[in-house]
Amino acid sequence: MSASRGRGRPRDPQTDTAILEAALELFVERGVEGISIEQVAKRAGVGKPTVYRRWSTKEDLIAQAIEQWVAAEVTPSAADVYALPLRDIVEGVLPAAAETAASPAFRALVARIMGSAVSHPSLMAVYWRHYIVPRRQLAAAMLQRAQADGTLAPDTDLDVLIDMMAGAVTYRVLQPDPPDAAGMLRYLTAVYRQAGLYPPAHDSP
Amino acid sequence: MSASRGRGRPRDPQTDTAILEAALELFVERGVEGISIEQVAKRAGVGKPTVYRRWSTKEDLIAQAIEQWVAAEVTPSAADVYALPLRDIVEGVLPAAAETAASPAFRALVARIMGSAVSHPSLMAVYWRHYIVPRRQLAAAMLQRAQADGTLAPDTDLDVLIDMMAGAVTYRVLQPDPPDAAGMLRYLTAVYRQAGLYPPAHDSP
């Protein structure tokens, strides 16, 4: 499969980056079924063997491209959620979340990942592990804080409530006529308020 | 495009059905990008011109296949939501909803429609109009009933709350390791309860 395997030449990180970027672009444009390793190689400006030397299937390649794209530390840390009033935490988190949720690139990627959830579950799995799980942990910390503060019922099913919050956003993002960043900020505020995470000032205890 | 157009031969409804079924199957298996009119014709056992005589693009064809698949009356009607105690309405609605949400065919179709939300928005639009909107109207009627009953806050943003309910289910369906029908019924019950639509007996007013 690879003429140069074993030559001992070190892998070029720039080549890896070019391949991963090309794979993500094509995945977003055409879906898993619409692309081939050959097309990825062409767009990255490398030969097919160069791609196959690194990834044996297009699914593996797309999974790593997704992992790389979504890998960024989630802030605040769960511990920091207890350092400030919850309202400040929420107000600190929402603008960046709204910016991301309203961006066309995020929308297009989420659509494709959801779209391959049944046919190529490894893509959803990598997105789930690297993007969703850290954010669910942050949401859980905020909700537990709200329970500790007495603003959220102690018997709330947090997993279900987190699904409702995250699900609403995903769902809104993929609806016809998605909001821009300002509209998404209003939307997220309404979702957090409905979840009991962001009471209007006059409802605060 | 069609050798026999204008012959005056009536269209055969069974042929239409076979083409629509083949289109839906292939769409679910491979996504929009993974299929061609030629493959649909082959699976339906007809010639390509027979398909093109009826649908000019694969997107139109898939849209109609989706419309046909999801077209079924939503019960109860919004008016009937006021005829019984809300708890009975909810308990009447949930088992069938759980059955649908847990079915592999529904899961696979929803994944594909979400997946094409950005690349082929007409498919999401037809699903939205024919499947989602009537169900949102029912949910809105139930929530308004809950407001009238005094169990849901009068200033609740119903659109956001409906997104949270529907979004949670869509989101849960597409997660790795989706629940079976019994698990989905428990899940839906928890979502309805969190939404304030299904209070535990001791919380009832």
Side-chain angles (χ1 to χ4, degrees):
Chain A
M1 198 176 280
S2 157
S4 62
R5 197 198 292 277
R7 272 193 203 164
R9 204 173 45 174
R11 275 171 57 162
D12 174 4
Q14 284 189 318
T15 303
D16 283 14
T17 303
I19 294 168
L20 289 168
E21 284 179 359
L24 196 70
E25 275 175 25
L26 285 164
F27 171 58
V28 166
E29 285 170 25
R30 306 179 196 169
V32 189
E33 287 86 359
I35 68 177
S36 64
I37 290 275
E38 189 157 8
Q39 290 168 335
V40 173
K42 194 175 164 197
R43 182 163 303 189
V46 301
K48 239 167 86 172
T50 305
V51 181
Y52 274 119
R53 208 173 299 144
R54 293 157 164 85
W55 296 276
S56 55
T57 69
K58 69 176 172 178
E59 195 166 344
D60 287 347
L61 170 55
I62 297 167
Q64 195 181 337
I66 292 170
E67 180 178 337
Q68 182 141 322
W69 201 78
V70 302
E73 217 182 323
V74 177
T75 54
S77 72
D80 286 345
V81 166
Y82 285 85
L84 286 170
L86 186 53
R87 196 183 176 84
D88 294 357
I89 302 285
V90 170
E91 285 181 352
V93 164
L94 287 187
E99 202 71 50
T100 300
S103 83
F106 179 80
R107 181 172 190 248
L109 180 64
V110 167
R112 288 299 185 189
I113 293 169
M114 297 282 151
S116 54
V118 176
S119 61
H120 300 82
S122 71
L123 303 182
M124 175 60 98
V126 79
Y127 176 71
W128 194 258
R129 199 160 56 242
H130 294 279
Y131 187 81
I132 302 293
V133 168
R135 283 158 184 79
R136 288 182 82 91
Q137 287 167 344
L138 173 59
M142 290 194 286
L143 293 169
Q144 283 158 358
R145 167 79 193 264
Q147 288 180 315
D149 290 354
T151 57
L152 184 66
D155 64 347
T156 304
D157 185 328
L158 297 191
D159 276 334
V160 166
L161 184 50
I162 293 170
D163 277 1
M164 291 174 77
M165 297 173 69
V169 179
T170 307
Y171 194 69
R172 186 68 192 86
V173 162
L174 297 182
Q175 281 172 27
D177 189 25
D180 62 10
M184 187 55 85
L185 181 56
R186 285 192 297 276
Y187 185 82
L188 286 176
T189 303
V191 168
Y192 272 60
R193 180 161 292 150
Q194 179 62 39
L197 263 186
Y198 193 55
H202 65 273
D203 282 1
S204 294
Chain B
M1 198 176 285
S2 158
S4 61
R5 197 198 293 278
R7 269 195 205 162
R9 202 173 48 175
R11 276 170 57 162
D12 174 4
Q14 285 189 315
T15 303
D16 283 13
T17 302
I19 294 169
L20 289 168
E21 284 178 0
L24 197 70
E25 275 176 27
L26 284 164
F27 171 59
V28 166
E29 285 170 26
R30 305 178 197 172
V32 188
E33 288 85 358
I35 67 176
S36 64
I37 290 273
E38 189 157 10
Q39 290 168 336
V40 173
K42 194 175 165 197
R43 182 163 303 188
V46 302
K48 240 167 85 172
T50 306
V51 181
Y52 274 118
R53 210 174 299 143
R54 292 158 165 84
W55 295 277
S56 55
T57 70
K58 69 176 172 180
E59 195 166 344
D60 287 347
L61 170 55
I62 297 168
Q64 195 181 338
I66 291 170
E67 179 178 339
Q68 182 141 322
W69 201 77
V70 302
E73 217 181 323
V74 177
T75 53
S77 72
D80 286 346
V81 165
Y82 286 84
L84 287 171
L86 186 53
R87 196 184 174 84
D88 294 357
I89 302 285
V90 170
E91 286 180 352
V93 163
L94 287 187
E99 202 71 49
T100 301
S103 82
F106 179 79
R107 180 171 189 250
L109 179 65
V110 167
R112 290 299 187 189
I113 293 169
M114 297 281 151
S116 54
V118 176
S119 61
H120 299 82
S122 72
L123 303 182
M124 174 60 98
V126 78
Y127 176 70
W128 193 259
R129 199 161 54 242
H130 294 279
Y131 188 80
I132 301 292
V133 168
R135 282 157 184 81
R136 288 182 81 91
Q137 287 167 346
L138 173 59
M142 291 195 285
L143 292 169
Q144 284 158 358
R145 166 80 194 262
Q147 287 181 314
D149 290 356
T151 57
L152 184 67
D155 64 347
T156 304
D157 185 327
L158 297 190
D159 276 333
V160 167
L161 184 50
I162 293 170
D163 277 2
M164 291 174 78
M165 298 173 69
V169 178
T170 307
Y171 194 69
R172 186 68 192 86
V173 161
L174 297 182
Q175 281 173 27
D177 189 25
D180 62 10
M184 187 54 85
L185 182 57
R186 286 192 296 276
Y187 185 82
L188 286 176
T189 303
V191 168
Y192 273 59
R193 179 161 294 150
Q194 179 63 37
L197 263 184
Y198 192 54
H202 65 273
D203 283 1
S204 293

